[in-house]
Coordinates of all heavy atoms in Angstrom, one line a residue:
M21 N 41.6 -39.0 -49.6 CA 43.0 -39.1 -49.9 C 43.2 -38.9 -51.5 O 42.4 -39.4 -52.2 CB 43.6 -40.4 -49.6 CG 43.8 -40.7 -48.1 SD 45.5 -41.1 -48.0 CE 45.9 -40.4 -46.5
T22 N 44.2 -38.2 -51.8 CA 44.5 -38.0 -53.2 C 45.6 -39.0 -53.7 O 46.3 -39.5 -52.9 CB 45.0 -36.5 -53.4 OG1 46.2 -36.4 -52.7 CG2 44.0 -35.5 -53.0
T23 N 45.6 -39.1 -55.0 CA 46.6 -40.1 -55.5 C 48.0 -39.4 -55.5 O 48.1 -38.2 -55.3 CB 46.3 -40.4 -57.0 OG1 46.3 -39.3 -57.8 CG2 44.9 -41.1 -57.1
F24 N 49.0 -40.2 -55.7 CA 50.4 -39.7 -55.7 C 50.6 -38.6 -56.6 O 51.3 -37.6 -56.3 CB 51.3 -40.9 -55.9 CG 52.8 -40.5 -56.0 CD1 53.4 -40.2 -54.8 CD2 53.4 -40.4 -57.2 CE1 54.8 -39.8 -54.8 CE2 54.8 -40.0 -57.2 CZ 55.4 -39.7 -56.0
E25 N 50.0 -38.7 -57.8 CA 50.2 -37.6 -58.9 C 49.6 -36.3 -58.6 O 50.0 -35.3 -59.1 CB 49.7 -38.1 -60.2 CG 50.6 -39.3 -60.8 CD 50.0 -39.7 -62.1 OE1 48.9 -39.4 -62.5 OE2 50.7 -40.4 -62.8
H26 N 48.6 -36.3 -57.7 CA 47.9 -35.1 -57.4 C 48.4 -34.4 -56.1 O 47.8 -33.4 -55.7 CB 46.4 -35.4 -57.3 CG 45.8 -35.7 -58.6 ND1 45.6 -37.0 -59.1 CD2 45.3 -34.9 -59.6 CE1 45.1 -37.0 -60.3 NE2 44.9 -35.7 -60.7
R27 N 49.3 -34.9 -55.5 CA 49.9 -34.3 -54.3 C 50.6 -33.0 -54.7 O 51.2 -33.0 -55.8 CB 50.8 -35.2 -53.5 CG 50.1 -36.4 -52.9 CD 51.1 -37.1 -52.0 NE 50.4 -38.3 -51.5 CZ 50.9 -39.3 -50.8 NH1 52.2 -39.2 -50.6 NH2 50.2 -40.3 -50.4
E28 N 50.7 -32.0 -53.9 CA 51.3 -30.8 -54.2 C 52.5 -30.6 -53.3 O 52.5 -30.9 -52.1 CB 50.3 -29.6 -54.0 CG 49.3 -29.6 -55.0 CD 48.5 -28.3 -55.0 OE1 49.0 -27.3 -54.5 OE2 47.3 -28.3 -55.5
I29 N 53.6 -30.0 -53.9 CA 54.8 -29.6 -53.2 C 54.9 -28.1 -53.4 O 55.3 -27.6 -54.5 CB 56.0 -30.3 -53.7 CG1 55.9 -31.8 -53.6 CG2 57.2 -29.8 -53.0 CD1 57.0 -32.6 -54.2
R30 N 54.4 -27.3 -52.4 CA 54.5 -25.8 -52.5 C 53.8 -25.3 -53.8 O 54.4 -24.5 -54.6 CB 55.9 -25.3 -52.4 CG 56.5 -25.6 -51.1 CD 57.9 -25.0 -50.9 NE 58.5 -25.5 -49.7 CZ 59.8 -25.5 -49.5 NH1 60.6 -25.0 -50.4 NH2 60.3 -25.9 -48.4
G31 N 52.7 -25.8 -54.1 CA 52.0 -25.3 -55.3 C 52.3 -26.0 -56.6 O 51.7 -25.7 -57.6
I32 N 53.2 -26.9 -56.6 CA 53.6 -27.6 -57.8 C 53.2 -29.1 -57.7 O 53.6 -29.7 -56.7 CB 55.1 -27.5 -58.1 CG1 55.5 -26.1 -58.3 CG2 55.5 -28.3 -59.4 CD1 57.0 -25.9 -58.4
T33 N 52.4 -29.5 -58.6 CA 51.9 -30.9 -58.4 C 53.0 -31.9 -59.0 O 53.8 -31.5 -59.9 CB 50.6 -31.2 -59.2 OG1 50.8 -31.0 -60.6 CG2 49.5 -30.3 -58.7
I34 N 53.0 -33.1 -58.5 CA 54.0 -34.1 -59.0 C 53.7 -34.4 -60.5 O 54.6 -34.6 -61.2 CB 53.9 -35.3 -58.1 CG1 54.2 -35.0 -56.7 CG2 54.7 -36.4 -58.7 CD1 55.1 -35.8 -55.9
K35 N 52.4 -34.3 -60.8 CA 52.0 -34.6 -62.2 C 52.7 -33.5 -63.1 O 53.2 -33.8 -64.2 CB 50.5 -34.5 -62.4 CG 50.0 -34.9 -63.8 CD 48.5 -34.9 -63.8 CE 48.1 -35.3 -65.2 NZ 46.6 -35.4 -65.3
N36 N 52.7 -32.2 -62.7 CA 53.3 -31.2 -63.5 C 54.8 -31.4 -63.6 O 55.5 -31.2 -64.6 CB 53.1 -29.8 -62.9 CG 51.6 -29.3 -63.1 OD1 50.9 -29.9 -63.9 ND2 51.2 -28.4 -62.3
M37 N 55.4 -31.9 -62.5 CA 56.9 -32.1 -62.5 C 57.2 -33.3 -63.5 O 58.2 -33.2 -64.2 CB 57.4 -32.5 -61.1 CG 57.4 -31.3 -60.2 SD 57.9 -31.7 -58.5 CE 59.4 -32.5 -58.7
I38 N 56.4 -34.3 -63.5 CA 56.6 -35.5 -64.4 C 56.5 -35.0 -65.8 O 57.3 -35.4 -66.7 CB 55.6 -36.6 -64.1 CG1 55.9 -37.2 -62.7 CG2 55.6 -37.7 -65.2 CD1 54.9 -38.2 -62.2
V39 N 55.5 -34.2 -66.1 CA 55.3 -33.7 -67.5 C 56.5 -32.8 -67.9 O 57.0 -32.9 -69.0 CB 53.9 -32.9 -67.6 CG1 53.9 -32.1 -68.9 CG2 52.8 -33.8 -67.4
T40 N 56.9 -32.0 -67.0 CA 58.1 -31.1 -67.3 C 59.3 -31.9 -67.5 O 60.1 -31.6 -68.5 CB 58.3 -30.1 -66.1 OG1 57.1 -29.4 -65.9 CG2 59.5 -29.2 -66.4
I41 N 59.6 -32.9 -66.7 CA 60.8 -33.7 -66.9 C 60.7 -34.5 -68.2 O 61.6 -34.6 -68.9 CB 61.0 -34.7 -65.7 CG1 61.3 -33.8 -64.4 CG2 62.0 -35.7 -66.0 CD1 61.3 -34.6 -63.1
A42 N 59.5 -35.1 -68.5 CA 59.3 -35.9 -69.7 C 59.5 -34.9 -70.9 O 60.1 -35.3 -71.9 CB 57.9 -36.5 -69.7
S43 N 59.0 -33.7 -70.9 CA 59.2 -32.8 -72.0 C 60.6 -32.4 -72.2 O 61.1 -32.4 -73.3 CB 58.3 -31.5 -71.7 OG 57.0 -31.8 -71.6
T44 N 61.3 -32.2 -71.1 CA 62.7 -31.9 -71.1 C 63.5 -33.0 -71.7 O 64.4 -32.8 -72.6 CB 63.3 -31.5 -69.7 OG1 62.5 -30.4 -69.2 CG2 64.7 -31.1 -69.8
V45 N 63.2 -34.2 -71.3 CA 63.9 -35.4 -71.9 C 63.6 -35.5 -73.3 O 64.5 -35.8 -74.1 CB 63.5 -36.7 -71.1 CG1 64.0 -37.9 -71.8 CG2 64.0 -36.6 -69.7
S46 N 62.4 -35.3 -73.7 CA 62.0 -35.3 -75.2 C 62.8 -34.3 -76.0 O 63.3 -34.6 -77.1 CB 60.5 -35.1 -75.3 OG 60.2 -35.1 -76.7
I47 N 62.9 -33.1 -75.5 CA 63.6 -32.0 -76.2 C 65.1 -32.4 -76.3 O 65.7 -32.2 -77.3 CB 63.4 -30.7 -75.4 CG1 62.0 -30.2 -75.6 CG2 64.4 -29.6 -76.0 CD1 61.6 -29.1 -74.7
V48 N 65.7 -32.9 -75.2 CA 67.1 -33.3 -75.2 C 67.4 -34.4 -76.2 O 68.3 -34.3 -77.0 CB 67.6 -33.7 -73.8 CG1 69.0 -34.3 -73.8 CG2 67.6 -32.5 -72.9
V49 N 66.5 -35.4 -76.2 CA 66.6 -36.5 -77.2 C 66.5 -35.9 -78.6 O 67.3 -36.3 -79.5 CB 65.6 -37.6 -76.9 CG1 65.5 -38.6 -78.1 CG2 65.9 -38.3 -75.6
S50 N 65.6 -35.0 -78.9 CA 65.5 -34.5 -80.2 C 66.7 -33.7 -80.6 O 67.2 -33.8 -81.8 CB 64.2 -33.6 -80.3 OG 63.1 -34.3 -80.1
V51 N 67.2 -32.9 -79.7 CA 68.4 -32.1 -80.0 C 69.6 -33.0 -80.3 O 70.4 -32.8 -81.2 CB 68.7 -31.1 -78.9 CG1 70.0 -30.4 -79.1 CG2 67.6 -30.0 -78.9
M52 N 69.8 -34.0 -79.4 CA 70.9 -34.9 -79.6 C 70.8 -35.7 -80.9 O 71.8 -35.9 -81.6 CB 71.0 -35.8 -78.4 CG 71.4 -35.1 -77.1 SD 73.0 -34.2 -77.2 CE 74.1 -35.5 -77.3
S53 N 69.6 -36.2 -81.2 CA 69.5 -36.9 -82.5 C 69.8 -36.0 -83.7 O 70.5 -36.4 -84.6 CB 68.1 -37.6 -82.6 OG 67.1 -36.6 -82.7
G54 N 69.4 -34.8 -83.6 CA 69.7 -33.8 -84.7 C 71.2 -33.5 -84.8 O 71.8 -33.5 -85.8
Y55 N 71.8 -33.4 -83.6 CA 73.3 -33.2 -83.5 C 74.0 -34.3 -84.2 O 74.9 -34.1 -85.0 CB 73.7 -33.0 -82.1 CG 75.2 -33.1 -81.9 CD1 76.0 -32.0 -82.2 CD2 75.8 -34.2 -81.4 CE1 77.4 -32.0 -82.1 CE2 77.2 -34.3 -81.2 CZ 77.9 -33.2 -81.6 OH 79.3 -33.2 -81.4
F56 N 73.7 -35.6 -83.8 CA 74.4 -36.7 -84.3 C 74.1 -36.9 -85.8 O 75.0 -37.3 -86.6 CB 74.0 -38.0 -83.6 CG 74.7 -38.0 -82.2 CD1 73.9 -38.1 -81.1 CD2 76.1 -38.0 -82.1 CE1 74.5 -38.1 -79.8 CE2 76.7 -38.0 -80.8 CZ 75.9 -38.1 -79.7
Q57 N 72.9 -36.6 -86.3 CA 72.6 -36.7 -87.7 C 73.5 -35.6 -88.5 O 74.0 -36.0 -89.5 CB 71.1 -36.4 -87.9 CG 70.7 -36.6 -89.4 CD 69.2 -36.4 -89.6 OE1 68.5 -36.1 -88.7 NE2 68.8 -36.6 -90.8
L58 N 73.5 -34.4 -88.0 CA 74.4 -33.4 -88.6 C 75.8 -33.8 -88.6 O 76.5 -33.6 -89.6 CB 74.2 -32.0 -87.9 CG 72.8 -31.3 -88.2 CD1 72.7 -30.1 -87.3 CD2 72.7 -31.0 -89.7
K59 N 76.3 -34.3 -87.5 CA 77.7 -34.8 -87.4 C 78.0 -35.8 -88.4 O 79.0 -35.8 -89.1 CB 77.9 -35.3 -86.0 CG 79.4 -35.6 -85.7 CD 79.5 -36.1 -84.2 CE 80.9 -36.5 -84.0 NZ 81.1 -37.0 -82.6
G60 N 77.1 -36.8 -88.6 CA 77.2 -37.8 -89.7 C 77.2 -37.2 -91.1 O 78.0 -37.6 -91.9
D61 N 76.3 -36.3 -91.3 CA 76.2 -35.6 -92.6 C 77.5 -34.9 -92.9 O 78.0 -34.9 -94.0 CB 75.1 -34.7 -92.7 CG 73.7 -35.4 -92.7 OD1 73.7 -36.6 -92.9 OD2 72.7 -34.7 -92.5
I62 N 78.1 -34.2 -91.9 CA 79.3 -33.4 -92.1 C 80.5 -34.4 -92.4 O 81.3 -34.1 -93.3 CB 79.6 -32.6 -90.9 CG1 78.7 -31.4 -90.8 CG2 81.1 -32.1 -90.9 CD1 78.7 -30.6 -89.5
K63 N 80.5 -35.5 -91.7 CA 81.5 -36.5 -92.0 C 81.4 -37.1 -93.4 O 82.4 -37.2 -94.1 CB 81.4 -37.7 -91.0 CG 82.5 -38.7 -91.1 CD 82.4 -39.8 -90.0 CE 83.5 -40.8 -90.2 NZ 83.3 -41.9 -89.2
D64 N 80.2 -37.3 -93.9 CA 80.0 -37.8 -95.2 C 80.4 -36.8 -96.3 O 81.0 -37.1 -97.3 CB 78.5 -38.1 -95.5 CG 78.0 -39.4 -94.7 OD1 78.9 -40.1 -94.2 OD2 76.8 -39.5 -94.5
I65 N 80.1 -35.5 -96.0 CA 80.5 -34.4 -96.9 C 82.0 -34.3 -97.0 O 82.6 -34.2 -98.0 CB 79.8 -33.1 -96.5 CG1 78.4 -33.1 -96.8 CG2 80.5 -31.9 -97.3 CD1 77.6 -32.0 -96.2
R66 N 82.6 -34.4 -95.8 CA 84.1 -34.3 -95.8 C 84.7 -35.4 -96.6 O 85.7 -35.3 -97.3 CB 84.6 -34.3 -94.3 CG 86.1 -34.1 -94.2 CD 86.5 -34.1 -92.7 NE 85.9 -33.0 -92.0 CZ 85.4 -33.0 -90.8 NH1 85.4 -34.2 -90.2 NH2 84.9 -31.9 -90.3
S67 N 84.2 -36.6 -96.4 CA 84.7 -37.8 -97.1 C 84.5 -37.6 -98.6 O 85.4 -37.9 -99.4 CB 84.0 -39.1 -96.6 OG 84.4 -40.2 -97.4
S68 N 83.4 -37.1 -99.0 CA 83.1 -36.9 -100.4 C 84.0 -35.8 -101.0 O 84.5 -36.0 -102.1 CB 81.6 -36.4 -100.6 OG 81.4 -36.0 -101.9
Q69 N 84.3 -34.8 -100.2 CA 85.2 -33.7 -100.7 C 86.7 -34.3 -100.8 O 87.4 -33.9 -101.8 CB 85.2 -32.5 -99.7 CG 84.0 -31.7 -99.8 CD 84.0 -30.6 -98.8 OE1 84.7 -30.6 -97.8 NE2 83.2 -29.6 -99.1
E70 N 87.1 -35.1 -99.9 CA 88.4 -35.7 -100.0 C 88.5 -36.6 -101.2 O 89.5 -36.6 -101.9 CB 88.7 -36.5 -98.7 CG 89.0 -35.7 -97.5 CD 89.1 -36.5 -96.2 OE1 89.0 -37.7 -96.3 OE2 89.3 -35.9 -95.2
T71 N 87.5 -37.4 -101.5 CA 87.4 -38.2 -102.7 C 87.5 -37.4 -104.0 O 88.3 -37.7 -104.9 CB 86.2 -39.1 -102.7 OG1 86.1 -39.9 -101.5 CG2 86.1 -40.0 -103.9
Q72 N 86.7 -36.3 -104.0 CA 86.7 -35.4 -105.2 C 88.1 -34.8 -105.4 O 88.6 -34.7 -106.5 CB 85.6 -34.4 -105.0 CG 85.4 -33.6 -106.3 CD 84.9 -34.4 -107.5 OE1 84.1 -35.3 -107.3 NE2 85.4 -34.1 -108.6
S73 N 88.7 -34.4 -104.2 CA 90.0 -33.8 -104.3 C 91.1 -34.8 -104.9 O 91.9 -34.4 -105.7 CB 90.5 -33.4 -102.9 OG 91.8 -32.8 -102.9
R74 N 91.0 -36.1 -104.5 CA 91.9 -37.1 -105.0 C 91.7 -37.3 -106.5 O 92.6 -37.4 -107.3 CB 91.7 -38.4 -104.2 CG 92.2 -38.4 -102.8 CD 92.0 -39.7 -102.2 NE 92.3 -39.6 -100.7 CZ 91.7 -40.2 -99.8 NH1 90.7 -41.1 -100.1 NH2 91.9 -40.1 -98.5
I75 N 90.4 -37.3 -106.9 CA 90.1 -37.5 -108.3 C 90.7 -36.3 -109.1 O 91.2 -36.5 -110.2 CB 88.6 -37.6 -108.5 CG1 88.1 -39.0 -107.9 CG2 88.2 -37.5 -110.0 CD1 86.6 -39.1 -107.9
N76 N 90.5 -35.1 -108.6 CA 91.0 -33.9 -109.3 C 92.5 -34.0 -109.4 O 93.1 -33.6 -110.4 CB 90.6 -32.7 -108.6 CG 89.1 -32.4 -108.8 OD1 88.5 -32.9 -109.7 ND2 88.5 -31.6 -107.9
E77 N 93.2 -34.5 -108.3 CA 94.7 -34.6 -108.4 C 95.1 -35.6 -109.5 O 96.1 -35.3 -110.2 CB 95.2 -35.0 -107.0 CG 95.2 -33.9 -106.0 CD 95.6 -34.4 -104.6 OE1 96.2 -35.5 -104.5 OE2 95.3 -33.7 -103.6
I78 N 94.4 -36.7 -109.6 CA 94.7 -37.7 -110.6 C 94.5 -37.1 -112.0 O 95.3 -37.3 -112.9 CB 93.9 -39.0 -110.4 CG1 94.4 -39.7 -109.1 CG2 94.0 -39.9 -111.5 CD1 93.5 -40.8 -108.6
R79 N 93.4 -36.4 -112.2 CA 93.1 -35.8 -113.5 C 94.2 -34.8 -113.8 O 94.6 -34.7 -115.0 CB 91.7 -35.1 -113.4 CG 90.6 -36.0 -113.5 CD 89.3 -35.3 -113.4 NE 88.1 -36.2 -113.5 CZ 86.9 -35.8 -113.2 NH1 86.6 -34.6 -112.8 NH2 85.9 -36.7 -113.2
L80 N 94.6 -34.0 -112.8 CA 95.7 -33.0 -113.1 C 97.0 -33.7 -113.5 O 97.6 -33.3 -114.4 CB 95.9 -32.2 -111.8 CG 96.9 -31.1 -111.9 CD1 96.6 -30.1 -113.0 CD2 97.1 -30.4 -110.6
K81 N 97.3 -34.8 -112.9 CA 98.5 -35.5 -113.2 C 98.4 -36.1 -114.6 O 99.4 -36.0 -115.4 CB 98.8 -36.7 -112.2 CG 99.3 -36.2 -110.9 CD 99.6 -37.3 -109.9 CE 100.0 -36.8 -108.6 NZ 100.2 -37.8 -107.6
V82 N 97.3 -36.6 -115.0 CA 97.1 -37.1 -116.4 C 97.2 -36.0 -117.4 O 97.9 -36.2 -118.4 CB 95.7 -37.8 -116.5 CG1 95.4 -38.1 -117.9 CG2 95.7 -39.1 -115.7
L83 N 96.6 -34.9 -117.1 CA 96.7 -33.7 -118.0 C 98.1 -33.2 -118.1 O 98.6 -32.9 -119.2 CB 95.8 -32.6 -117.5 CG 94.3 -32.9 -117.7 CD1 93.5 -31.7 -117.1 CD2 93.9 -33.0 -119.2
E84 N 98.9 -33.2 -117.0 CA 100.3 -32.8 -117.1 C 101.1 -33.7 -117.9 O 101.9 -33.3 -118.7 CB 100.8 -32.7 -115.6 CG 100.3 -31.5 -114.8 CD 100.8 -31.5 -113.4 OE1 101.3 -32.6 -112.9 OE2 100.6 -30.5 -112.7
G85 N 100.8 -35.0 -117.8 CA 101.5 -36.0 -118.6 C 101.2 -35.8 -120.1 O 102.1 -35.8 -121.0
Q86 N 99.9 -35.5 -120.4 CA 99.5 -35.2 -121.8 C 100.2 -34.0 -122.3 O 100.6 -33.9 -123.5 CB 98.0 -35.2 -121.9 CG 97.3 -36.5 -121.7 CD 95.8 -36.4 -121.7 OE1 95.2 -35.3 -121.6 NE2 95.1 -37.5 -121.8
V87 N 100.3 -32.9 -121.5 CA 100.9 -31.7 -121.9 C 102.4 -32.0 -122.2 O 102.9 -31.5 -123.2 CB 100.8 -30.6 -120.8 CG1 101.7 -29.4 -121.1 CG2 99.3 -30.1 -120.8
N88 N 103.1 -32.8 -121.4 CA 104.5 -33.1 -121.6 C 104.6 -33.8 -122.9 O 105.6 -33.5 -123.7 CB 105.0 -33.9 -120.5 CG 105.2 -33.1 -119.2 OD1 105.4 -31.9 -119.3 ND2 105.2 -33.8 -118.1
V89 N 103.7 -34.8 -123.2 CA 103.8 -35.5 -124.5 C 103.6 -34.5 -125.7 O 104.4 -34.6 -126.7 CB 102.8 -36.6 -124.5 CG1 102.6 -37.2 -125.9 CG2 103.1 -37.7 -123.5
L90 N 102.6 -33.6 -125.6 CA 102.4 -32.7 -126.6 C 103.6 -31.7 -126.8 O 103.9 -31.4 -128.0 CB 101.1 -31.9 -126.4 CG 99.8 -32.7 -126.5 CD1 98.6 -31.8 -126.0 CD2 99.6 -33.1 -127.9
Q91 N 104.2 -31.3 -125.7 CA 105.4 -30.4 -125.8 C 106.5 -31.1 -126.5 O 107.2 -30.5 -127.4 CB 105.8 -30.0 -124.4 CG 104.9 -28.9 -123.8 CD 105.3 -28.6 -122.4 OE1 106.0 -29.4 -121.7 NE2 104.8 -27.5 -121.9
Q92 N 106.7 -32.4 -126.3 CA 107.8 -33.2 -127.0 C 107.4 -33.3 -128.4 O 108.3 -33.2 -129.3 CB 107.9 -34.5 -126.3 CG 108.5 -34.5 -124.9 CD 108.5 -35.9 -124.3 OE1 108.1 -36.9 -124.8 NE2 109.1 -35.9 -123.1
E93 N 106.2 -33.5 -128.8 CA 105.8 -33.6 -130.2 C 106.0 -32.3 -130.9 O 106.5 -32.2 -132.0 CB 104.3 -34.0 -130.3 CG 104.1 -35.5 -129.9 CD 102.6 -35.9 -130.0 OE1 101.8 -35.1 -130.5 OE2 102.3 -37.0 -129.6
V94 N 105.7 -31.1 -130.2 CA 105.9 -29.8 -130.8 C 107.4 -29.6 -131.0 O 107.8 -29.1 -132.1 CB 105.3 -28.7 -129.9 CG1 105.7 -27.3 -130.3 CG2 103.7 -28.8 -129.9
R95 N 108.2 -29.9 -130.0 CA 109.7 -29.8 -130.2 C 110.1 -30.6 -131.4 O 111.0 -30.2 -132.2 CB 110.4 -30.2 -128.9 CG 110.3 -29.2 -127.8 CD 111.2 -29.7 -126.6 NE 110.6 -29.0 -125.4 CZ 110.4 -29.6 -124.3 NH1 110.6 -30.9 -124.2 NH2 109.9 -29.0 -123.3
G96 N 109.6 -31.8 -131.5 CA 110.0 -32.7 -132.6 C 109.6 -32.1 -134.0 O 110.4 -32.1 -134.9
L97 N 108.4 -31.5 -134.0 CA 108.0 -30.9 -135.3 C 108.8 -29.7 -135.6 O 109.2 -29.4 -136.8 CB 106.5 -30.5 -135.2 CG 105.5 -31.6 -135.1 CD1 104.1 -31.1 -134.8 CD2 105.5 -32.4 -136.5
K98 N 109.2 -28.9 -134.6 CA 110.0 -27.7 -134.8 C 111.4 -28.1 -135.3 O 112.0 -27.5 -136.2 CB 110.2 -26.9 -133.5 CG 108.9 -26.1 -133.2 CD 109.2 -25.3 -131.9 CE 108.0 -24.4 -131.5 NZ 108.1 -23.7 -130.3
E99 N 112.0 -29.1 -134.7 CA 113.3 -29.6 -135.1 C 113.2 -30.2 -136.6 O 114.1 -30.1 -137.3 CB 113.8 -30.7 -134.2 CG 114.2 -30.1 -132.8 CD 114.6 -31.2 -131.8 OE1 114.7 -32.4 -132.2 OE2 114.9 -30.8 -130.6
G100 N 112.1 -30.8 -136.9 CA 111.9 -31.4 -138.2 C 111.8 -30.3 -139.3 O 112.3 -30.4 -140.4
K101 N 111.3 -29.2 -139.0 CA 111.2 -28.0 -139.9 C 112.5 -27.4 -140.1 O 112.8 -26.9 -141.1 CB 110.2 -27.0 -139.4 CG 108.7 -27.4 -139.5 CD 107.8 -26.3 -139.1 CE 106.3 -26.7 -139.3 NZ 105.4 -25.7 -138.9
R102 N 113.3 -27.3 -139.0 CA 114.7 -26.7 -139.1 C 115.6 -27.5 -140.0 O 116.5 -27.0 -140.6 CB 115.3 -26.6 -137.7 CG 114.6 -25.5 -136.9 CD 115.2 -25.4 -135.5 NE 114.4 -24.6 -134.6 CZ 114.6 -24.5 -133.3 NH1 115.5 -25.2 -132.8 NH2 113.8 -23.8 -132.6
S103 N 115.4 -28.8 -140.1 CA 116.3 -29.6 -140.8 C 116.2 -29.5 -142.3 O 115.3 -29.2 -143.0 CB 116.2 -31.1 -140.4 OG 116.4 -31.3 -139.1

């Protein structure tokens, strides 16, 4: 008598089927872990880009405020020269 793993089903041994199924499961697990890692990395990058965008907006507002102050000072200097 042969062991359970050595029995054949139309030329395919159960041992070969087990190896094939285990290999397939291993490949699926590897692909899924890679997918979830990439998904997390994309989420982190998106968050970083949003943060950088907010920082740039704040810098732009500060610079616009400084430009307004400088324009008022220039107007004041021009009016002072006219007088």
Side-chain angles (χ1 to χ4, degrees):
M21 286 237 145
T22 59
T23 64
F24 178 75
E25 291 179 345
H26 291 94
R27 291 188 184 173
E28 290 190 23
I29 301 175
R30 294 185 190 158
I32 300 173
T33 64
I34 301 228
K35 185 176 183 180
N36 287 345
M37 288 176 54
I38 291 172
V39 168
T40 303
I41 291 170
S43 298
T44 303
V45 168
S46 174
I47 290 169
V48 168
V49 168
S50 295
V51 169
M52 292 303 291
S53 66
Y55 168 78
F56 286 118
Q57 184 177 3
L58 287 173
K59 188 176 176 181
D61 290 347
I62 289 170
K63 185 177 180 181
D64 291 343
I65 290 170
R66 184 177 297 136
S67 174
S68 175
Q69 286 177 338
E70 288 175 0
T71 302
Q72 188 65 38
S73 178
R74 289 181 192 145
I75 289 171
N76 288 339
E77 287 176 15
I78 292 170
R79 286 179 179 166
L80 182 61
K81 288 180 183 179
V82 168
L83 288 173
E84 287 173 346
Q86 290 175 347
V87 166
N88 287 336
V89 169
L90 289 173
Q91 286 175 341
Q92 289 175 358
E93 290 178 5
V94 168
R95 284 186 205 131
L97 290 173
K98 285 182 179 178
E99 289 175 5
K101 285 184 179 180
R102 290 181 189 167
S103 301

